[in-house]
Each structure stands twice: as C-alpha cells, then as structure tokens.
Amino acid sequence: MSESKNLYIRTVSLGNRKSCPECKIKLNGNPIYSSEEYLNGKWNTVNHFCRNCFPQFQEKINLFQEQTKRLVVFKGYQSFHIPDWFTPEMKI
C-alpha cells in the first residue's frame, strides 16, 4: 500500500454564508467544514461540506481510496477538534 494522504479539517465562514456551498441547505447556525491538503508547498482546498452533505464527501473519499489504493487520514487543522460524528468509513 502507498503512503497515506493527510486531509486537514477545519471550520470556515466563507463570507458568513447562510447555506452550504455544496448542498445549498440552510445551515441554521451549523458550521461549514473545509478539507485541505498540503500539495507542492501550498495549501489546497479539496472540498467544503456541512454535516448534511458529509455522506457525499465520504463517498468521494472512498472513491479516491479505491482508485489510488491510498488511505486518507483526517487531521484537525492546527488545534481544531474533529467532531465525533466525523467518522468516515475507510474502504480500500
């Protein structure tokens, strides 16, 4: 198996949005999450998502793992604590 891929998770405001940029559902005070990677010396945003569209994000991650045979490891950006519900299924 290849080296694992780190994705850093944090909350973002995106200009104080009221709905998720991915699924368009109203947030009602819930946060927007950002997944990012460090690629070629720069931060690259992979995806934005909310709790409602997390399953679609999870599907993208699982597809990436199947295609590349690389395990994706989620880490909190700086001191961000990843929520308990954020438990993706790791399928390789």
Side-chain angles (χ1 to χ4, degrees):
M1 181 179 294
S2 310
E3 183 178 326
S4 65
K5 177 178 188 67
N6 294 329
L7 279 183
Y8 296 88
I9 307 298
R10 66 178 175 158
T11 57
V12 292
S13 65
L14 298 180
N16 211 11
R17 287 186 62 112
K18 304 288 185 215
S19 63
C20 176
E22 194 70 24
C23 67
K24 312 295 187 230
I25 294 175
K26 291 211 182 273
L27 293 169
N28 297 323
N30 294 317
I32 299 170
Y33 297 92
S34 175
S35 65
E36 302 173 351
E37 62 183 347
Y38 193 66
L39 186 64
N40 297 328
K42 294 185 178 183
W43 279 106
N44 179 39
T45 300
V46 175
N47 204 0
H48 292 111
F49 58 94
C50 67
R51 186 170 183 169
N52 293 325
C53 60
F54 177 72
Q56 288 83 10
F57 174 68
Q58 185 178 15
E59 287 176 20
K60 289 179 185 179
I61 296 302
N62 288 337
L63 183 61
F64 172 83
Q65 291 181 123
E66 289 173 12
Q67 291 175 343
T68 63
K69 304 296 185 220
R70 291 177 67 189
L71 180 67
V72 174
V73 178
F74 295 103
K75 297 185 175 196
Y77 179 74
Q78 293 183 345
S79 62
F80 179 74
H81 173 71
I82 296 175
D84 293 335
W85 58 265
F86 200 101
T87 54
E89 297 174 21
M90 297 299 175
K91 299 178 184 175
I92 294 186

